[in-house]
Amino acid sequence: MNDLAHRPYIVGLTGGIGSGKSAATEHFAALGASVVDTDHIAHALTAPRGAAIDAIRNSFGDVMIAADGSLDRAAMRARAFSQPDARRQLEAILHPMIRDESARQCRAAGGPYVILAVPLLVESGSYRQRCDRICVVDCPEALQIERVSRRSGLDEAQVRAIMATQASRQQRLAVADDVIDNGGSLAALQAQVDRLHAAYLAAARAR
Ligand code: ADP
């Protein structure tokens, strides 16, 4: 049995916070691509009755579980702030589960190819290895800050603090096979996604 026959063509999609990953991913999905999104998986794992909840309760106690049975994100943020090890401990629970679940979803995907959306793709060797191609959504840092501030109400210093934990724009561009320039309008973003979708369909068929 040829393994490749069961392995879909995978395009890793990444970009800094506020670069437009979700906007690009939504348009790829509307065109018919299968989408596997590690942020969505992390959220599902930590939702009420999520698969990570028991392990989180065992490691951190009931104080980290909200009344509805989900991870208490505010309590976790406060703990991670006072005890840096807590974040690593949470990641040690979540990251292997996210890796397994995203691999399972990629295998099960029915579309012509998979957009594997991973915010920290560049920072993570294991995701990069899975991808046939890497697509980076890029925009100037000032626009990232403006868009995230508008979306979430964070101020510039808070957005910059998050950006400082991520790969730099140059590091991401250095590993990109394709770059979506999201420095313009949403229509301009979608036109680029249209072109890439056609190229990914052709590449997946040619494999
Ligand atoms: P990411 O998923 O990379 O964090 P999003 O796709 O959520 O980024 O985009 C961040 C914010 O900026 C969202 O509110 C989104 O609607 C908005 N946005 C994204 N691209 C554009 C664009 N080209 N023009 C205007 N607003 C945009």
Side-chain angles (χ1 to χ4, degrees), residues 70-170:
S70 64
L71 168 66
D72 187 332
R73 286 165 218 284
M76 193 67 226
R77 257 196 306 276
R79 175 79 71 93
F81 186 73
S82 60
Q83 298 173 13
D85 269 357
R87 193 164 63 87
R88 277 188 285 278
Q89 204 181 338
L90 180 68
E91 286 173 355
I93 294 170
L94 289 179
H95 285 183
M97 295 178 101
I98 296 169
R99 268 197 295 275
D100 288 353
E101 176 60 15
S102 58
R104 191 193 66 72
Q105 289 188 12
C106 283
R107 281 193 302 273
Y113 67 91
V114 175
I115 292 289
L116 175 59
V118 186
L120 299 182
L121 182 92
V122 174
E123 295 82 340
S124 152
S126 73
Y127 284 105
R128 276 170 67 181
Q129 277 170 13
R130 280 195 215 168
C131 299
D132 294 289
R133 220 169 158 83
I134 293 179
C135 177
V136 168
V137 185
D138 178 66
C139 74
E141 290 185 355
L143 260 183
Q144 275 180 273
I145 293 166
E146 186 189 311
R147 287 174 181 162
V148 175
S149 301
R150 205 178 317 124
R151 180 181 63 185
S152 58
L154 298 178
D155 65 29
E156 174 170 348
Q158 289 169 311
V159 182
R160 282 200 185 278
I162 296 169
M163 287 166 64
T165 68
Q166 303 186 336
S168 69
R169 196 175 173 195
Q170 287 70 24

Side-chain angles (χ1 to χ4, degrees), residues 15-24 147 150-151 182 184-186 189:
I17 181 169
S19 58
K21 290 181 297 297
S22 306
R147 287 174 181 162
R150 205 178 317 124
R151 180 181 63 185
N182 192 25
S185 66
L186 272 177
L189 168 84

Side-chain angles (χ1 to χ4, degrees), residues 57-79:
R57 195 193 302 276
N58 288 339
S59 290
F60 295 98
D62 283 336
V63 290
M64 283 305 152
I65 308 299
D68 67 357
S70 64
L71 168 66
D72 187 332
R73 286 165 218 284
M76 193 67 226
R77 257 196 306 276
R79 175 79 71 93

